[in-house]
Amino acid sequence: MGLDQAGKRPDEALRDALADDMEAVNALIRARMASEHAPRIPEVTAHLVEAGGKRLRPLLTLAAARLCGYEGAHHVALAATVEFIHTATLLHDDVVDESARRRGRPTANLLWDNKSSVLVGDYLFARAFQLMVGTGSLAVLGILSDAAARIAEGEVLQLTAAGNLATDEDIYLKVVRGKTATLFAAAAESGGVIAGASDEQVEGLRVYGDALGIAFQMVDDFLDYGGAGDGIGKNIGDDFREGKLTLPVIKAVAAADAGERAFWTRVLERGEQREGDLERALALVAGHGALAATRAEALAWAGRARAALAPLPDHPLRRILEDLSDYVVARVI
């Protein structure tokens, strides 16, 4: 499931179709990571950027531009911008979450320190704005600067919602839109705008990115409470240990009896976690059907992503993007 006729995953097919563009993006990223006066900047940035990852966000920008017939070069700068924004948020997130692993490797804040991670993240945000200004498009500048603000807003909302059993699915969706879906949407939308696509096509790309990002995050949340890895660099239970109220937990709490609610209050609100608590949390989430419900919602959002591409031209890239929306949730089927 999730493979094309050549036996490739959709993300691999997308990378292959955009290989020349991605090579240009990677060269630009390496050039803009450099710092004449602060060698720690490229050291910290390279540790994360070169650790791998699917690079879905910059690929969305490139694909959207090419799908809409763009033949210029600004889409490369926009794709690098998107990756810099994403990398900056990861550096900041790992400090906030006190994370020790990212993409299967020690985090930058663990190898260096929190101050370096925060300041290098700030540097990457600045580089991102330099790149987007260079395109000369006020519309693109508006899309990506708004996205940067919404990402920060989503992270603060998640911080205030962590450990709060009053967090409901509406708040969860706001967090997910801010921390994940916003950049997916901006990546796709900006590619359409730089290509001069119609308003209907640009909106379709924005909705596609938004729905894809929501499905992507829901799958990550599912995997944290019942997945078998997937090479995403997380361990089962990371969200539980960090006290995050993700969709599987929110659904399990909503169905909890008094004893179960007391358990969730102790381990999440008070942060008093003991040996065996993770196993009980996994059992409760599975037992109340919260994992199955999370999977069903992720599938529904993937379907919305696919449907949003209807106004776009019939093109091999469109078919890959449609397959990508299915593949994002195929990990939990």
Side-chain angles (χ1 to χ4, degrees), residues 30-293:
R30 286 191 294 270
R32 294 303 180 99
M33 284 193 317
S35 171
E36 179 182 355
H37 305 294
R40 178 160 295 186
I41 289 174
E43 289 175 5
V44 173
T45 307
H47 172 74
L48 189 54
V49 170
E50 295 175 6
K54 294 182 174 64
R55 299 280 178 92
L56 286 182
R57 295 156 188 84
L59 283 168
L60 286 182
T61 302
L62 299 175
R66 292 300 194 194
L67 177 55
C68 295
Y70 185 61
E71 297 181 357
H74 287 317
H75 65 315
V76 170
L78 290 179
T81 295
V82 167
E83 186 64 10
F84 273 154
I85 292 173
H86 178 53
T87 304
T89 62
L90 295 184
L91 287 167
H92 289 168
D93 286 354
D94 287 341
V95 172
V96 172
D97 296 338
E98 299 180 347
S99 301
R101 307 287 292 177
R102 168 72 67 180
R103 293 172 178 167
R105 305 172 73 192
T107 54
N109 52 301
L110 185 67
L111 292 178
W112 286 276
D113 51 53
N114 286 341
K115 294 176 182 178
S116 295
S117 290
V118 171
L119 292 173
V120 172
D122 292 345
Y123 178 83
L124 293 183
F125 269 122
R127 282 300 203 196
F129 278 92
Q130 287 177 331
L131 284 167
M132 69 176 89
V133 167
T135 67
S137 171
L138 281 177
V140 163
L141 182 60
I143 291 166
L144 291 171
S145 59
D146 286 350
R150 287 197 297 272
I151 291 168
E153 187 177 37
E155 292 292 350
V156 174
L157 180 58
Q158 178 175 262
L159 188 65
T160 58
N164 183 357
L165 293 190
T167 299
D168 59 19
E169 294 191 26
D170 287 341
I171 294 174
Y172 167 82
L173 194 58
K174 290 177 183 176
V175 170
V176 169
R177 274 220 158 90
K179 63 175 286 189
T180 302
T182 285
L183 193 54
F184 274 85
E189 183 183 6
S190 60
V193 168
I194 205 68
S198 69
D199 290 346
E200 183 184 22
Q201 290 173 338
V202 168
E203 177 62 9
L205 288 166
R206 186 197 66 78
V207 172
Y208 171 82
D210 177 69
L212 184 73
I214 291 172
F216 186 90
Q217 187 60 53
M218 286 182 175
V219 168
D220 262 16
D221 295 344
F222 175 101
L223 291 171
D224 197 81
Y225 275 90
D230 189 55
I232 58 174
K234 291 176 65 176
N235 301 307
I236 288 179
D238 280 350
D239 291 341
F240 173 79
R241 285 182 283 269
E242 293 169 9
K244 292 180 180 177
L245 270 291
T246 58
L247 190 58
V249 173
I250 291 170
K251 289 182 177 295
V253 169
D257 60 26
E260 293 167 353
R261 189 172 182 88
F263 165 77
W264 290 117
T265 299
R266 173 175 64 80
V267 298
L268 295 182
E269 285 199 341
R270 298 204 301 269
E272 298 173 5
Q273 297 185 7
R274 307 165 187 160
E275 186 176 352
D277 283 345
L278 174 59
E279 289 71 22
R280 185 180 181 192
L282 295 175
L284 289 175
V285 166
H288 282 298
L291 284 179

Side-chain angles (χ1 to χ4, degrees), residues 204-215 298-311 321-322 324-326:
L205 288 166
R206 186 197 66 78
V207 172
Y208 171 82
D210 177 69
L212 184 73
I214 291 172
L299 284 167
W301 281 104
R304 293 178 198 177
R306 173 182 276 270
L309 294 174
L321 291 177
E322 289 171 341
L324 181 64
S325 65
D326 296 332

